[in-house]
Amino acid sequence: MTNHVRVRFAPSPTGMLHIGGLRTALFNYLFAKHHKGSFVLRIEDTDQARYVPDAEADITTSLKWAGLHVDEGPDKGGKFGPYRQSERSELYSKYAAKLVEDGHAYYAFDTAEEIDNMRQRLQSPDNPTPKYDSVTRMEMKNSLTLPADEVKKRLESGEPHIIRLKVPENETIRFDDLIRGDVSFESRGLDDQVLLKSDGLPTYHLANVVDDHLMEISHVIRGEEWLSSAPKHILLYRYLGWKPPVMAHLPLIMSPKGGKLSKRNAEELGIPINVRDYIAGAYEPAAVINFLAYLGWSTGDDREILTPDEMIATFSLDRVSKSGAIFDLKKLEWYNEHYLRAMPVPQLAGRVREVAEREGYTGLTDAYLETVVRLMIERSVRMPDIVEQGRFLFDAPKTIDEGAVKKAWKENTGELVTEFRDKIAGLSEAEFTAAQVKAVLSGVVEAKGIGFGKLMLPVRLAVTGAGSGPDLFQTMALLGRDEVIGRINRSLDQLATK
Ligand code: GLU
């Protein structure tokens, strides 16, 4: 046994990795890196009924996208492998048999119907969900109640059976959780947990404990939803004669509307739930990671933006809170804007090109796209917004905002815009700079003795189709003289009847 910190992220491939899972992975990763330890990925795929074939690939892709590189795992290998539980199945039955031999577990032969009957018979207002436990086990069909030779016969004849943990009758099971402090559970409230199923595969509890031990996991860091499993695990460690790892249960992720963040309420609030939705939505992985780090943890000072190295240096489990962490989408967007704006313009322009080309906007120069980025960056939350919100920089507007037209387009507006158009038509392409175009517009409004907005807003509508947007003069300079004049002409035609 080493003193080395070894943690694991142990997802079950039962669906796409959700954002809460990524937070668990991140906290494990930060803890491992802070202590110069190892971050292990283990795939807990013993539940055949819930197995989703694409899930493991989704987990791997998501971790890579987030920059959480594993030190050991199914793709990476390592000396504690294999790292998929389905490839370790003989191990578990061996330990289950040992538990039976030592009197800490037993074979049970009850059919589902027999268990249902027991539950129905014992159900009462005081005991709404009767358990298969220290009391009821004695009236069921198992190796504690049946004669030894009958048990042997049944096993030899291949009769379907499971192995259950023999939970003690009256005991307070305690352990120290790094986040929650002293935690205790009464054994009376626990079911005789199934350890090995009739298909010979282990349940999560047995496989998890066996693997955490064999893989020399020093700290188990996982979501609070697993806290109630911990007493069963503590019993298993004791019965197998092993020292349990240190436990740390992370606070739940809560919906801003209250309650645990579920798939359904996330959807209602527009919160992407699966990591693949963040990838598809072109969120910046650095922003997502920075945001997730603060979902239940804090630095203790007023820093909010941390590089991965700073996170690693600062991370500690004592600053993880016990109470639920509220998922604030606005905060995530704030992080995303921050990281988007911090990106070098040429790099961002390269990414914008991909989105633009996918939408059919081809043949644009790097310089053009870099100006698009500079114009749109302050108005964009995510990278694709640059194209979506800045469509008028790629294509003439198909429509003109009706509401803005009502406000800005008065009787004489057409004439004013026409005059402006005629003046800019007199500029050469080289003279068609933001400053010159602005000077032309100023000249017209001064000559007429009207406010700047009286002409600027209609020109903006005519050129971009919208009542607001980035700097209009830079926009026009980017589009170029002929394009601007063409758009003004079309808009004048379209608005002539207004
Ligand atoms: N396989 C469990 C899951 O899906 C792992 C829980 C644990 O970390 O022990 O999250």
Side-chain angles (χ1 to χ4, degrees):
M1 195 70 170
T2 57
N3 287 323
H4 191 62
V5 164
R6 290 179 52 81
V7 295
R8 82 309 192 266
F9 177 49
S12 302
T14 52
M16 299 302 120
L17 183 64
H18 58 78
I19 194 71
L22 188 62
R23 198 263 320 242
T24 300
L26 172 65
F27 281 28
N28 274 285
Y29 173 85
L30 294 175
F31 186 77
K33 298 296 139 183
H34 181 87
H35 292 281
K36 309 213 168 349
S38 303
F39 173 56
V40 177
L41 173 64
R42 183 174 72 226
I43 301 294
E44 302 208 322
D45 56 349
T46 59
D47 191 347
Q48 306 262 286
R50 297 181 59 214
Y51 182 76
V52 172
D54 300 341
E56 186 185 325
D58 180 73
I59 291 163
T60 311
T61 311
S62 300
L63 293 179
K64 279 206 183 114
W65 173 80
L68 306 184
H69 301 294
V70 303
D71 299 306
E72 296 166 32
D75 294 343
K76 188 81 199 277
K79 67 174 181 147
F80 296 89
Y83 293 90
R84 271 184 211 101
Q85 290 187 327
S86 57
E87 293 164 20
R88 305 168 63 83
S89 44
E90 325 79 66
L91 272 173
Y92 311 116
S93 33
K94 186 178 98 193
Y95 288 106
K98 181 173 184 303
L99 285 165
V100 175
E101 213 173 286
D102 295 346
H104 299 302
Y106 56 90
Y107 297 106
F109 302 95
D110 318 271
T111 61
E113 203 187 342
E114 284 163 340
I115 295 177
D116 267 359
N117 287 343
M118 175 272 281
R119 294 216 158 107
Q120 270 167 27
R121 191 158 40 81
L122 298 179
Q123 202 172 35
S124 72
D126 287 348
N127 188 10
T129 48
K131 301 196 161 51
Y132 197 120
D133 60 11
S134 57
V135 178
T136 55
R137 72 168 78 113
M138 295 320 288
E139 49 185 272
M140 302 301 287
K141 259 197 241 146
N142 54 52
S143 58
L144 302 174
T145 57
L146 299 170
D149 57 339
E150 190 183 335
V151 171
K152 196 160 172 254
K153 229 172 35 218
R154 285 178 184 242
L155 292 175
E156 279 168 2
S157 72
E159 186 177 323
H161 63 274
I162 59 176
I163 294 182
R164 285 182 182 270
L165 178 66
K166 198 172 154 201
V167 174
E169 186 173 352
N170 252 327
E171 194 192 311
T172 306
I173 302 163
R174 327 188 78 92
F175 63 93
D176 195 36
D177 185 283
L178 275 190
I179 296 166
R180 328 195 78 80
D182 182 32
V183 177
S184 65
F185 283 89
E186 293 306 319
S187 67
R188 217 175 319 125
L190 304 178
D191 229 343
D192 276 357
Q193 180 62 51
V194 178
L195 300 176
L196 209 67
K197 296 173 288 183
S198 54
D199 60 6
L201 288 175
T203 57
Y204 151 72
H205 304 277
L206 178 66
N208 188 267
V209 164
V210 167
D211 284 346
D212 280 347
H213 174 74
L214 296 180
M215 294 184 179
E216 298 183 10
I217 297 303
S218 60
H219 295 73
V220 165
I221 305 170
R222 61 184 171 200
E224 191 186 314
E225 62 273 29
W226 301 102
L227 187 65
S228 59
S229 298
K232 296 172 185 170
H233 300 177
I234 296 289
L235 287 176
L236 280 169
Y237 282 108
R238 187 200 301 164
Y239 295 155
L240 288 163
W242 298 335
K243 181 171 172 273
V246 177
M247 306 249 176
H249 288 87
L250 305 174
L252 291 178
I253 299 180
M254 311 292 286
S255 157
K257 289 254 167 87
K260 191 179 159 187
L261 183 69
S262 66
K263 214 181 206 131
R264 181 160 352 120
N265 58 36
E267 236 160 57
E268 277 167 19
L269 294 163
I271 296 175
I273 196 75
N274 292 326
V275 179
R276 59 153 60 177
D277 303 332
Y278 290 80
I279 302 176
Y283 279 88
E284 301 306 315
V288 173
I289 286 303
N290 201 153
F291 167 77
L292 287 181
Y294 282 88
L295 264 190
W297 173 73
S298 62
T299 53
D301 51 36
D302 54 10
R303 285 179 299 165
E304 292 196 283
I305 302 289
L306 296 180
T307 63
D309 283 346
E310 287 166 342
M311 269 179 234
I312 289 168
T314 323
F315 189 79
S316 89
L317 287 171
D318 2 300
R319 299 209 59 88
V320 174
S321 84
K322 276 203 257 295
S323 48
I326 295 172
F327 193 108
D328 178 357
L329 186 60
K330 282 270 160 296
K331 190 78 197 185
L332 172 62
E333 291 179 344
W334 178 84
Y335 274 112
N336 209 76
E337 282 168 15
H338 170 85
Y339 282 97
L340 199 61
R341 286 167 201 176
M343 196 170 292
V345 170
Q347 190 186 331
L348 196 46
R351 290 171 61 198
V352 168
R353 176 184 294 286
E354 282 173 33
V355 178
E357 289 186 350
R358 230 179 293 135
E359 301 204 19
Y361 307 133
T362 51
L364 299 163
T365 64
D366 289 346
Y368 190 95
L369 286 168
E370 286 173 21
T371 308
V372 168
V373 167
R374 284 196 199 90
L375 279 173
M376 295 310 300
I377 191 75
E378 291 297 324
R379 320 180 76 83
S380 302
V381 175
R382 283 178 282 142
M383 183 274 291
D385 293 344
I386 295 175
V387 177
E388 221 139 275
Q389 311 291 328
R391 210 163 279 285
F392 56 89
L393 298 170
F394 298 93
D395 205 358
K398 302 259 179 307
T399 55
I400 309 180
D401 180 346
E402 288 279 345
V405 168
K406 268 204 188 92
K407 265 197 241 146
W409 208 273
K410 306 282 177 260
E411 241 185 77
N412 64 342
T413 303
E415 276 164 45
L416 283 172
V417 174
T418 306
E419 195 171 330
F420 169 75
R421 179 205 60 195
D422 292 345
K423 292 239 157 69
I424 56 171
L427 298 173
S428 69
E429 278 287 5
E431 287 166 340
F432 199 77
T433 62
Q436 294 260 39
V437 176
K438 187 173 184 182
V440 169
L441 195 137
S442 301
V444 176
V445 296
E446 271 159 34
K448 303 273 178 209
I450 55 170
F452 197 74
K454 287 259 181 313
L455 178 54
M456 189 178 91
L457 204 52
V459 170
R460 181 186 287 287
L461 279 171
V463 174
T464 71
S468 63
D471 186 281
L472 179 62
F473 303 105
Q474 290 180 36
T475 300
M476 288 195 278
L478 179 67
L479 292 172
R481 187 194 59 193
D482 294 347
E483 175 68 17
V484 169
I485 292 174
R487 288 189 188 187
I488 289 179
N489 286 340
R490 281 194 297 277
S491 298
L492 282 171
D493 284 350
Q494 206 177 321
L495 294 170
T497 50
K498 304 257 163 187

